[in-house]
Amino acid sequence: MESLVPWRTFRWYYGQKHYSGFYWSSTMRAHVIYESRLELTRLIYADFSPEVRSIHAQPFLITAEIDKVRRRHVPDFLLLRDDSVPMVVDVKPRELLTRPKVSFSLGWAREVVESWGWEYQVWCEPPHDERANLRFLAGYRCDWLFRAELLQEIRGANLEGVTLGDAFRSFPNWSKELVRASIFHLLWSQHLSTDFDGILSERSVLSGKAATLVGAGVSVMPDPIHDPEQDDQEAAVSNQVDDLGGKRRSGQGAARVGVGTRFHYDGEVVTVVEMFGSSRGNEILVKDGRGRRFRLSLREVLASGRARVIAENPGPSSEDPGETASVTLALLEDFELETIRERAAHLNEVLYGYRSGTPELAGPGEPRPEYTPGTPKMDRYRAKAEELGVGVRTLRRWIAAFEAEREAALVRDLPERSTDSAGVGRADPRWVEMALESMAEHEDDATPTQSKVIRTIGPRLEARYGKSEVPLPSRATAYRWLSELEKRRPTFRLSAQRNRDIASRPAGVYGKLRPTRPGEFLLLDTNRLDVFALDPLTLKWVQPELTAAMDWYDRCITGLRMTPASTKSVDVAATLFETYRPRPAGKDWPRDAVWPDHGIPRTVLLDRDAIEGPMADAAARVTGRGSQGPGLVPETIVVDHGKPYVSEHITSVCQRLGISIQPARLRTGRDKGPLERFFRTLREGLLENLPGYKGPDIYGRGVNPEGEAFFFLNELEAIIREWVALVYHQRPHDGLVDPRIPGLDLSPAAMFDHGIARAGYIEVPRDPDLGFEFLKTDWRSIQHYGVEIRGCRYNGPGLNGLRNQTSPYTSPRAKGRWPIHVDPDDITRVYFRRPDTRKWHTLDWEHAPAMNFPVSEDALELARKMARHKYRYPDDENALTQLLERWNLGLGLTRSERRVALRMAREQSAIDLPATDSEVAMLPSVAKVMATNVETMQDEEEPEPEPYEGAQAGDDDEDDELDVLVCPSDGPDGEDDYYADALEDA
């Protein structure tokens, strides 16, 4: 069962409310699918458990015949454990367990699984603090990201009984950010443990014992039954509400808890049969409807939300009709409130003899003779009724209401005001319902006018309710009501696309992912920019696309990639790679404009001369020299469903690097809201100030924005990068909030420093060959001539000893072939890592010497296609030569040729790869050293005259051609610089 694959997968569909995705499990060292955030929580619990050795999602199909009906069920997870039988887990929200259909399905599934001798568990929502702690620690589960020597030093220290804060400060020889992250990793791996009942803080005490979790497993399912007594009581309470005429009840405001008290607990009615004290507080022994008894903590019953007391007597309740006193009095005008206060003073005088209601605050001349305490009640009533000019019955009614609800009860006797609730209070509810129904029908259509909707309401009401049954308002009133209904369902004022976005909003409270540290969620998305730039190859305008990566916690832009045509998976991989390996800061950037230093807060003063090793680059960055600094390790990437993002290339890269994948819901831009807002901020803050800006739509387009475009693609990308560093990362963002200091203005740079100080820093892998992990993998056999990919042959010394051999890889995709790593933007070479030495080797294309710059896959395929129209048997070298000629002449006018030409115009690979062993000897620095050594050896020798290397005559050379002199300003081939002439012409 270790090699189980999911029995079924799940789809994403428009309108879904749950999040599905791929969780990278440290137990499986691979992705495990989940269908909801609750299932993800169960995955984290299983991944945290040391006894679980294997986790399988959607493992198998259970079939059984129940009541002569064939039933089918696929459980959520199968957990294989070391010292116990397998466990089958179904995950369901607690509120669904009492539904008959759910209870029946889980019930027969339990019987089938337990008949095998296995364990079956229904899992619900765990305690909030425990879940939050495990979710936070799961970000530190990748063991290869932490230094082994630091982990060993922490394990060797005696931290029993030490608080987390003291543990963070116990290793002064290491960076405190690295120590903090390493201790969190040891808590995840359970080399250290602490109490998870409360949110982790520096006051949490460490111990060496195994961690204990409460979890949320339900061993006994609640029966989906209805309590007749409960129904009778609710009916009696409802009758009492009706008898009170819709008034709020008064009476006992608290319910007694003791022997005989009944609760609703997890959907069942239980009765308290005994109460006793313990070391953990007061506990109760309860009995359910089937006679089962179990103990509960009284604190949990009253505070957890899982239980509700069934009151014996009616009393104030949040379900009572009417508004609370504060709301009722707040709706009054000043003169009305003064009337209520005056009437309350009169009633206090009737009841107590004093207008304030107490002798301590007696006014001048109080008590008056007719209201002196001891005067018969009816005499006081008659005197006050005569004073106010009302009847005694009216006064008695006022006093009864006043004694029940004080001043708020007197509001009902004020003159009723004209109300127009929600702006359509006087409208017939049937007219409002029909108007909203008609407006909803235009959700997927073009934006209608109000007059069109008004014309359709009358005939529809007549067809549904009969002629003249529903009064129709005047045209002006109908327009006013539709304007009010526009607030509920936008239909007329905004664009059709915006109306659809608003209509798709959830009706309830918005759910969202809430990052707790830098790197927890990395947002990736691509947007076509509203500005034109120049293609450096063809010198024609193009509207580029920008792929960006944003750390959700601090809103920092960690990667950018601009492409002149459609974005591909290699561009997404390059953006993700830049998150690990940030590019160097600009030479002329101001010191405070560099990107936030991942792992080195700005508040730390660094002495670059005293720092060595991986942090030296970061020190150089802070002091204004060197590269940008260490990168960010993402835990989960949030992407949409575009082909580049859900490709096998990106999925395999994430699985190899231990990154979970959380796809956003279909057509739900708010799932990546911060990044969508960045693209808008980029447009409004930078792009609209650049020449070549075309506007967000056709209505905002200029006359000829293409004619103003003069920034090249690489220049535009450099401008955006500097704007991000200089402006975007330094400006406070409204969405960045520290809950402990509300109202504090935080920029992305400051928020990053805050997150690193709070959660520590996870170092990026220091492997110099990390870039190879982001390349695409092709499985090919190694022949005597090398390997062949797309009809191109590659060879190199790295294949020696492995030619004509079957690889040790036996997976269904490998089939005995070898993994060859390919950069789609540069097919002049591929890369191969030998399994015996683990060294990377470069394999060159046989026609690579004819090309002096990278050639992409698309360029090769297009060149072949074009060459077939001219040659019967074209080869790749001739095909590429013909293609380059067409591009240089500006003749690549077809749509496919245009996209390929634009991508090739970059003349660079998406991912900066290190030199392999076979390329080291070709580096300029190495060649220079080699040349110096040769010159030293030949100093004492007489130099031989070098042979003349002039123009070599060929069969087609003419005499006058051989006499042409090469101008010093010409290129290496003796030809004028193409770009110089092109720019001069432009």
Side-chain angles (χ1 to χ4, degrees), residues 40-63:
L40 173 61
T41 304
R42 185 63 183 96
L43 267 178
I44 294 175
Y45 270 75
D47 205 20
F48 180 74
S49 175
E51 66 175 3
V52 175
R53 74 170 189 271
S54 183
I55 308 171
H56 303 279
Q58 312 293 321
F60 44 72
L61 174 68
I62 303 176
T63 58

Side-chain angles (χ1 to χ4, degrees), residues 942-984:
E942 185 72 19
E944 298 181 2
E946 296 182 0
Y948 171 71
E949 295 183 358
Q952 301 295 323
D955 294 339
D956 298 330
D957 293 332
E958 300 292 340
D959 293 338
D960 55 350
E961 293 178 353
L962 297 180
D963 294 334
V964 174
L965 297 178
V966 179
C967 180
S969 62
D970 292 345
D973 298 328
E975 298 177 357
D976 293 338
D977 188 355
Y978 166 76
Y979 293 105
D981 290 345
L983 288 174
E984 184 177 345

Side-chain angles (χ1 to χ4, degrees), residues 140 145 147 174-181 517-519 551 553-554 556 558 579-580 582 594-606 611 614-622 627-633 748-764 766:
Y140 304 85
L145 297 175
R147 297 194 182 188
W174 295 88
S175 168
K176 61 181 181 180
E177 289 80 18
L178 297 181
V179 172
R180 185 181 291 260
R517 61 175 185 82
D551 180 27
Y553 178 83
D554 48 39
C556 281
T558 62
T579 300
Y580 283 87
V594 294
W595 285 21
D597 302 299
H598 302 301
I600 304 295
R602 297 174 185 272
T603 55
V604 178
L605 180 61
L606 297 175
I611 297 179
M615 309 303 287
D617 290 338
R621 175 97 186 293
V622 174
S627 63
Q628 187 175 348
L632 185 68
V633 178
M751 193 66 180
F752 180 84
D753 293 344
H754 170 275
I756 292 299
R758 174 178 176 272
Y761 170 60
I762 301 177
E763 285 188 289
V764 299
R766 296 185 296 273

